[in-house]
Amino acid sequence: MKVQDLKLFKKKALAWANTFEICCYLESNQFADPYGKYDFLIAAGARKELTVESGTAFDEWKTFYDEQEAWMFGLLSYDLKNEIEDLKTNKTDLLEFPDLYFFTPAYLIVGKDEEIQIILGEISIIDLEAFELTEPVPSSGINIETKITKETYIESVKKLQQHIIRGDIYEANFCQEFFAENAFIDPVDIYEKLNKISPTPFSGFFKSYGNYVLSASPERFIRKQRNRLISQPIKGTARRSDNPLEDDRIRHALMVDLKEQAENVMIVDLVRNDLTKSAVKGSVIVDELFGVYGFAQVYQMKSTISCDLDVETHIVDAIKNAFPMGSMTGAPKLRAMQLIDETEYSKRGIYSGAMGYIDPSGDFDFSVVIRTLLYNAKNHYLSFQVGGAITYASDAEKEYEECLLKASAMISTLEM
């Protein structure tokens, strides 16, 4: 059915979902997406849960999926790479998210083309429309600090470039953390502010026992649509302008920027290789190369790669074979991840992992967890990370400025 005020309905439905210990809200913000199936999804309460640390996580998830074959929503930590490859992560983790977490919801609300449907649970749309909103709790103690200085960032970039010169890698995604200790926030209020400042096609709110993911991700990791797998890596960023003529000039400059194209095509080749592990032989294609798309703060260069899924490949293996997302690692993938572990100063955890859902038909859609605030409400630790592709042609100063640009929406949200 339709409601009179869809925006208010979603606000109330999210507030209602947040009364549960576990919930997930995925929002497309009406972005045109030929691969999208829903405008929004709201899952609340858990019938079944799976919480696993790296080691046997994908096997346990496969068993969980086979037993349920139901709607499920969840998170994949970047550090599951340690299970896929012979890698280790020894950095301090104050966010304390599990490496893999999924739940089958007790309640599920689906929105498409302004129509709303209750898929699971004994609750009516009328009940949700009548849900009483409360005033948000004011934030306090938000003093954003950086894990490393600008000088250390630049030194780290130059170290990675030395590895490029030696031929160890072609490209690596180097990230840095911004954080606040003793931070008190209202997660729903902060998420709504972030989504207003930076609406994106893979916006999301995830809550699990005091751990919160508040995401404004623009990037799809992997989608299964019937028998087709689709991945859409983003590599290439440019600041937007309020001046229409200048904004159009910036968009065109990004479209023809050879450095950004070189970064993008390296990851396209990596993703093609990842998809080949799950594909019908000869079916991997590049549907779009170097597409430029506009968001509130930035233009991004996005490519689309797809393949037919081999019927012998389990859907969990299809995700595992492409994980972590190539745009957040580098090329070659394994060596890039090794150097990331050696060079970065913070554990990534959920950052640069994935968030999404699987439906009962086996179709799924997962975003890359970037442009995202992570919050542990138990120890009041708030964190977000930003990064960029480092190549031989990278200018460390400009890469640092790009990091600040990517951080701007999160910082502005926390200052509101």
Side-chain angles (χ1 to χ4, degrees), residues 203-214:
S203 173
F205 176 98
F206 201 108
K207 173 188 179 183
S208 174
Y209 302 108
N211 283 334
Y212 292 87
V213 180
L214 318 176

Side-chain angles (χ1 to χ4, degrees), residues 220-224 229-231 275 318-319 322 364-366:
R220 172 178 277 123
F221 163 41
I222 193 166
R223 164 92 165 101
K224 178 178 174 286
L229 289 181
I230 302 107
S231 187
L275 291 187
I319 295 166
F364 55 72
D365 207 354
F366 287 85

